[in-house]
Every structure is written in structure tokens, then in C-alpha cells.
Amino acid sequence: MLQVKGIYDGKKITLLEDLFLPPNTPVQLMVWQESDDKEAQYQRRLIEAGLLSKPRLKSESLPLFTPIRVKGEPLSQTIVEDRQHE
């Protein structure tokens, strides 16, 4: 096994050492993350299971949720009444 250091810029990996392989040689990449938190492990398992296409960066926060007001009874009340008629 050959180890070569590199840097990932968000799109590409730039090798920091020469790699003496013929062009178009298939390679496999193993990434070591020193501060591997539980969120990163969870997202990696979701990707492996095909439930997530790419990891969400911590800076990619979701937009703030703003509930909208609707007229009528609360939804929970409607559900309770509907279940009583079944």
C-alpha cells in the first residue's frame, strides 16, 4: 500500500508528493479525519445507505422555519375528531 499526502480544496485533491504511477491508473482514496464527530459518522452512514447524496456542511444551515397561521380549528383537534368518527 502506498500513502501520499494531499489537500482537498472542496472540489479537487492536490497531491503534496509525487506519485509515480502511469496515467489513468485506478486508485482508491481513504480519508482520515482527526476530529470525526458523531454527526459526520451519521451522515457517512446515510450516504453509504443511499439515503443522502452528499454530506451537509455545518455552514449550510437550514432556513429558519416560520409557521403560517390558518383559519379554523387546530389540526390536532381535527385529527382527534376524525378518529372519533372511525
Side-chain angles (χ1 to χ4, degrees):
M1 178 150 115
L2 179 65
Q3 282 188 317
V4 179
K5 293 182 180 179
I7 296 177
Y8 178 63
D9 67 5
K11 292 187 178 185
K12 295 184 262 179
I13 296 173
T14 302
L15 299 179
L16 299 176
E17 306 169 24
D18 289 332
L19 187 58
F20 300 104
L21 293 174
N24 302 316
T25 300
V27 297
Q28 182 175 355
L29 176 70
M30 183 179 291
V31 177
W32 253 269
Q33 294 180 338
E34 294 184 21
S35 62
D36 203 11
D37 61 4
K38 290 188 179 198
E39 178 67 22
Q41 292 174 5
Y42 178 68
Q43 287 189 26
R44 189 169 38 256
R45 286 196 307 270
L46 289 175
I47 291 169
E48 290 169 359
L51 300 173
L52 188 65
S53 60
K54 65 175 187 161
R56 191 181 72 190
L57 302 175
K58 291 183 180 184
S59 62
E60 294 178 23
S61 61
L62 297 174
L64 292 176
F65 173 74
T66 306
I68 58 171
R69 294 198 176 269
V70 294
K71 295 180 181 177
E73 296 179 342
L75 179 60
S76 58
Q77 182 63 35
T78 303
I79 292 172
V80 169
E81 290 174 1
D82 188 52
R83 289 183 179 171
Q84 289 174 347
H85 295 283
E86 289 182 358

